[in-house]
Amino acid sequence: MSETHTHTSHPEIVKRLRRAEGHLRSVVEMIEAGRPCLDIAQQLHAVEAAIANAKRVLIHDHLDHCLDNAVGALPRAERGPIEAFKAITKYL
């Protein structure tokens, strides 16, 4: 059975995803209404960016809290590898 993981960032992530969900519905309506492809592509790009940002916040929050719980809190001077790992997650 999996544990429940709730972090302080989760309400903000949910808000971002609900906003993206609304924009995605708008994109479908734009397609159905025959709007120009450039407009649709711009809106799709915005939806993708919103989802990617939500994913990034989720991963960074997980690293900050779950890794700290696993290895113990590290002083700022020793957080280099964790910060580098967080930075590389932008390429996921």
Side-chain angles (χ1 to χ4, degrees):
M1 194 180 261
S2 100
E3 293 179 39
T4 300
H5 294 280
T6 304
H7 300 289
T8 57
S9 67
H10 286 182
E12 179 60 30
I13 292 169
V14 168
K15 189 163 58 170
R16 289 175 187 228
L17 291 174
R18 290 200 194 284
R19 195 168 32 244
E21 179 182 36
H23 287 300
L24 187 55
R25 276 194 302 273
S26 294
V27 170
V28 170
E29 291 168 6
M30 290 171 73
I31 292 170
E32 291 174 341
R35 295 280 303 272
C37 290
L38 178 59
D39 294 347
I40 295 167
Q42 288 171 333
Q43 288 303 310
L44 280 172
H45 180 74
V47 170
E48 287 176 328
I51 292 170
N53 286 332
K55 181 174 84 170
R56 181 184 44 76
V57 169
L58 179 77
I59 291 169
H60 285 190
D61 191 45
H62 178 77
L63 291 173
D64 284 341
H65 295 94
C66 296
L67 280 181
D68 280 350
N69 288 339
V71 299
L74 296 174
R76 182 175 285 295
E78 295 177 20
R79 290 193 57 84
I82 299 264
E83 295 305 320
F85 189 70
K86 282 172 58 175
I88 203 168
T89 62
K90 74 179 183 180
Y91 298 107
L92 291 174

